């Protein structure tokens, strides 16, 4: 074929494939959103429309990509959890992360005018997002990852709420507010808010304090279980390693599932409901209720 | 700090950094554009508006990212050449590719209505793009890469032009046209076009036959040269390795260039003109005229 | 410093670090052992001395590297299992694999004369070994890995035993023996051995049929447990995800363990007994008895 | 086949292939040689036998692996340069580095008794080596790499020579010698050696000051040239990019060379002479004389 003379250049491509049977988390992050939020006049400390725009974009991602079983977001970032046996793009990293960054960007721009009808986007400051994939070998890590993001959300929101009240109601400059908060601990900020601005932080909206969680609701997990090397199904009760017994028909075997089985799982995932919460995802309760998230 | 208990999860992130002093090419590729072009009624075999939309998006990328010295595109793909000494995002792969996929997506959607004013985008078929980075160690490889893409453009366009004429003017079904072209060589397609449809393929528009090339025009390359370990500048004239002599002040040394020098280069790149061509990039002429592209 | 002008070349080094909290298996493999076994006259189908030389080399590796909790070998290969929380060389891949290949090589040559006193090594055919590391996210994968190697041992040994009996006792050429076995299944080989050579394969030595397993014996696993996110310790009994609850004091946190705790674990591992078996490692029994292997 | 049930575990292997058309340098490094040199009584500051043992091991590597065109070593380390078009092990990283670490270890132990006939190796302190591969895109980087190692050799040797003279002839303790040299520059050490011990450092043996260089001598480079995208052969004389012209028959094309051509190159490399030097490899002279090293 005429093209073959140059085709050797393809051999310089390096493929990074994410290790099988691990949880993939893809975090999408707004690029330069500090300037962007100034440019388009986002409200401080939280712009409800901007958060809803993030949320609808995340929700559309979940509707489109059945392997995403959960998403958590706050501020200008969103983290998507892909189930352990996900084979999307054969787990090729570049495909996964550029698809997420591109698709999130597309939804965000598409829905912009619904949330900011008075503020059209300008070409020199379009919202864009980078994305990275991280792989976690076990359910503990995944829970700790989401705890990490939610603690981060809490810390930032408490700081920002206090900071912006000092400025907007307290008449401070940004520099003065920054100095006022330097070295302050959580309790100090609660006190400033309460004594100076009569704000009980605990009564602030949950969406600001906790962020947003989308969950794919699956009523009957039996179909999914066959694909997992899940510890949940085995009623192991002792120190013996019975929970890690090899099954006669190992479910971990590459290609163990027939095309038909895989299609059924995809279909089940696709038609499942996606629900939005603003709740604690650090404690057990959230996860105990939804064992399929960590299958 | 309160957050530290969970922060260990950051250690699971793996960073891939592209090898220094190599050319980076980032190729952006439309996702599912076959269906998308059907959905929005792109003209066959070439939709001029769709190509112009690709081009304006690529041009905006070049305006925004000075390290891109050249871009080549056809159909639904675009390849961007970053200069060898590019330090954008410290050459971190995930940042580079997700920024390109996201930014290209953002421009493409933004300009959509300028080129398809009658055909608004629908949320269930938004245009998105993946992106990959490939690293090439030397100028030969880079030239061969672009030759590969341009040969590909030629082959596809000749095929598509013939295929669609057989359908649109020849009244064939897609299946019939496919069969008609099975096994045909280049000359056969030229002949079909000429004899059956009175089309001289050589007179087809250059933008279809050759694709589009954006070039950053740099009049005085002296500033750039200091950053390169370029063989071009040394008037080497023999088989001796004089062209690879270590300089007393090595320009390859990490941090060899002062912040001020780097800023000057970025400024020079930023204010340089970007020009569009639809020309041959396989032969020497294109490259001989623009030695700075491969510095 | 005088050296700094060239030190930038260090920035071209790429570091691959194996993902935390995953099992590392390092497989060492003889290079060109077909020719080597001819050269030094290894007995066919199994050379007991050669296997013992492999075994003593593997045992010395385990004595030297406490993080290796188990090793399985047959023929000219050995697989070493490193515990999930192993931090050897900060899990840097190049350090791990080249240390194993070099150290195994050193022991093998050192002990050569003990097992082949009449056959000194010659410089043009020294025994060398390559090594690779593979990472497994969960205990199932690890068990399946070792099952894979033991099944491989079985298949090869049955074949080789039959093949060499056909040659040595049956008077066939290698080609004839190969043809005789083409397409034969397990039962056919058993039958050839039994009918033609009066050999009951089941009575062959276990070391040939099963390979060799070294196990680090740990009587009290309580010390190790603190380092693991282990499912064994939690008496979970239902489909709830209680087995993956985050602990108040997470043991998965980077640096969660004090230097003192880590030293104690290393010491415990170092003084533990290492025992050799030639047993089935596919069925549960082996693993149920030794839960610490998969902690 | 019976084995297939577990074979999926192979999919967890990750393959790192070194980028084509780049120079590969593999550096082999003694593990724990400080303790080892104490254990076996290496002479200080330089043990001539130990250096010769390193050298014979490096030489044997070069004899065995034709793609190594040069090696530089000092102290307990050796760096091997593989030619740019080397296809050894399809450039798979794990194969390359573990083969070098294992093979170097094997030669070192094999020749030990020739250089230390009175000091047999003991099993608890066998000499072992790790190895890493670094990839360099151009000839400048390669020269700078070797300059980096030779400068390092010089700095260490000057320090060690002074340090050990202070101890052995000056009667200082190690601590005292260390303090004496703290903050000293090169001239200070020269002066100490000259004034206090009547040693003119410049008269020290070249092997200590410069290290050891093995070179594969190739009289007629024409055969090699065909495999390279080398700038040296083209008598380019201007800023035009003529030196990077694509050839009609591109030599960079994967599989461009016939099996026969490749075999001829391997044969030529294999039968070439390997010579040892203790010379400057920082200045141009060394490289100008041997243009094939950087082809």
């Amino acid at each position: 074929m005429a093209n073959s003379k140059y085709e050797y250049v393809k051999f310089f491509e390096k493929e990074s494939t994410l290790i099988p049977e691990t949880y993939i988390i893809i975090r999408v992050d707004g690029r330069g959103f500090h300037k962007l939020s100034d440019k388009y006049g986002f409200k401080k400390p939280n712009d409800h429309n901007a958060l809803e725009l993030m949320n609808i974009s995340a929700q559309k991602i979940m509707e489109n990509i059945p392997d995403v079983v959960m998403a958590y977001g706050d501020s200008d970032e969103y983290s998507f959890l892909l189930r352990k046996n996900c084979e999307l793009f054969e787990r090729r990293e570049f495909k996964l992360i550029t698809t997420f960054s591109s698709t999130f960007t597309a939804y965000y721009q598409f829905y912009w005018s619904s949330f900011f009808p008075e503020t059209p986007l300008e070409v020199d400051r379009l919202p864009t997002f980078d994305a990275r994939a991280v792989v976690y070998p076990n359910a503990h890590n995944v829970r700790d990852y989401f705890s990490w993001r939610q603690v981060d959300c809490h810390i930032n929101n408490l700081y920002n709420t206090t900071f912006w009240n000092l400025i907007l109601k307290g008449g401070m400059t940004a520099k003065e507010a920054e100095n006022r908060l330097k070295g302050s601990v959580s309790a100090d900020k609660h006190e400033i808010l309460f004594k100076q601005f009569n704000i009980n932080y605990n009564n602030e909206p949950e969406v600001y304090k906790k962020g947003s969680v989308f969950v794919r609701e699956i009523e009957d997990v039996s179909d999914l279980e066959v694909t997992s090397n899940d510890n949940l199904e085995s009623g192991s009760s002792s120190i013996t390693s019975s929970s890690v017994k090899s099954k006669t028909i190992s479910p971990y075997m590459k290609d163990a599932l027939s095309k038909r089985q895989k299609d059924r799982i995809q279909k089940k995932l696709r038609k499942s409901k996606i629900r939005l919460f603003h709740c604690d995802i650090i404690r057990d309760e959230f996860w105990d209720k939804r064992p399929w998230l960590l299958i």
Side-chain angles (χ1 to χ4, degrees), chain A:
Chain A
M1 122 121 91
N3 210 3
S4 64
K5 179 174 142 192
Y6 302 116
E7 275 188 307
Y8 81 93
V9 297
K10 281 201 292 192
F11 289 97
F12 288 75
E13 294 181 10
K14 298 193 91 173
E15 194 70 87
S16 164
T17 301
L18 300 178
I19 191 171
E21 297 198 28
T22 53
Y23 301 94
I24 300 171
I25 292 180
I26 297 177
R27 183 166 72 250
V28 164
D29 225 322
R31 299 182 58 244
F33 261 53
H34 196 77
K35 282 189 181 172
L36 185 134
S37 64
D38 283 351
K39 164 86 179 181
Y40 295 115
F42 284 13
K43 289 204 186 66
K44 301 295 185 180
N46 286 294
D47 186 296
H48 201 75
N49 284 324
L51 291 177
E52 290 212 29
L53 178 49
M54 288 294 290
N55 285 352
I56 184 80
S57 304
Q59 184 183 336
K60 295 303 289 184
I61 292 256
M62 284 188 73
E63 286 172 17
N64 261 356
I65 306 179
D67 285 313
V68 178
V69 291
M70 171 183 166
Y72 173 79
D74 77 293
S75 184
D76 62 347
E77 70 168 59
Y78 241 100
S79 297
F80 298 92
L81 172 63
L82 281 67
R83 65 196 189 91
K84 190 162 57 177
N85 290 290
C86 166
E87 294 181 8
L88 186 61
F89 304 131
E90 298 94 53
R91 301 174 78 91
R92 283 179 297 161
E93 188 173 14
F94 92 86
K95 274 285 203 182
L96 286 165
I97 62 177
T98 62
T99 295
F100 271 75
S101 64
S102 172
T103 308
F104 199 92
T105 302
Y107 285 128
Y108 193 92
Q109 186 177 142
F110 183 82
Y111 284 110
W112 175 271
S113 62
S114 307
F115 293 93
F116 297 98
E118 319 283 299
T119 320
L121 286 171
E122 293 176 29
V123 70
D124 290 331
R125 183 73 62 194
L126 294 180
T128 57
F129 297 84
D130 62 35
R132 82 189 69 200
V134 192
V135 141
Y136 290 103
N138 61 57
H140 288 280
N141 306 139
V142 172
R143 285 198 49 179
D144 286 346
Y145 174 86
F146 283 109
S147 296
W148 175 52
R149 298 323 301 143
Q150 193 167 53
V151 169
D152 201 62
C153 167
H154 166 73
I155 291 173
N156 290 334
N157 190 59
L158 177 56
Y159 183 94
N160 289 336
T161 303
T162 319
F163 178 82
W164 281 103
N165 271 291
L166 286 171
I167 291 174
L168 298 174
K169 299 188 190 161
M172 281 189 177
T173 64
K175 196 69 205 161
E176 288 165 346
E178 202 186 315
N179 285 333
R180 177 71 184 82
L181 293 175
K182 197 165 285 170
S184 68
V185 296
S186 186
D188 302 329
K189 297 188 193 78
H190 278 273
E191 194 176 300
I192 291 171
L193 285 172
F194 192 68
K195 294 217 168 143
Q196 204 167 338
F197 305 111
N198 201 26
I199 291 171
N200 183 340
Y201 183 74
N202 297 327
N203 296 337
E204 289 289 290
E206 292 296 297
V207 58
Y208 301 159
K209 289 185 301 182
K210 296 282 200 300
S212 298
V213 195
F214 282 103
V215 171
R216 195 176 291 282
E217 298 287 7
I218 297 169
E219 270 151 55
D220 175 3
V221 300
S222 58
D223 265 1
L224 297 183
E225 276 170 353
V226 76
T227 71
S228 90
N229 51 353
D230 136 45
N231 303 309
L232 308 175
E233 63 189 10
S234 73
S236 75
S237 59
S238 72
I239 200 168
T240 71
S241 63
S242 58
S243 62
V244 292
K245 279 178 190 169
S246 268
K247 311 304 186 313
T248 310
I249 297 168
S250 166
Y252 322 111
M253 195 165 33
K254 180 83 180 171
D255 303 322
L257 296 181
S258 68
K259 176 84 175 60
R260 196 176 50 80
Q261 281 174 303
K262 286 180 184 175
D263 286 351
R264 201 178 54 217
I265 290 171
Q266 288 295 312
K267 199 176 158 192
K268 189 175 189 75
L269 288 167
R270 194 174 287 281
K271 72 178 189 187
S272 64
K273 288 231 168 43
I274 295 166
R275 292 181 60 200
L276 174 62
F277 301 92
H278 309 290
C279 65
D280 183 291
I281 57 173
I282 299 176
R283 283 191 289 254
D284 296 335
E285 189 192 350
F286 174 83
W287 303 92
D288 283 353
K289 273 190 193 160
R290 299 171 183 86
W292 63 85
L293 293 180
L294 297 176
I295 278 179

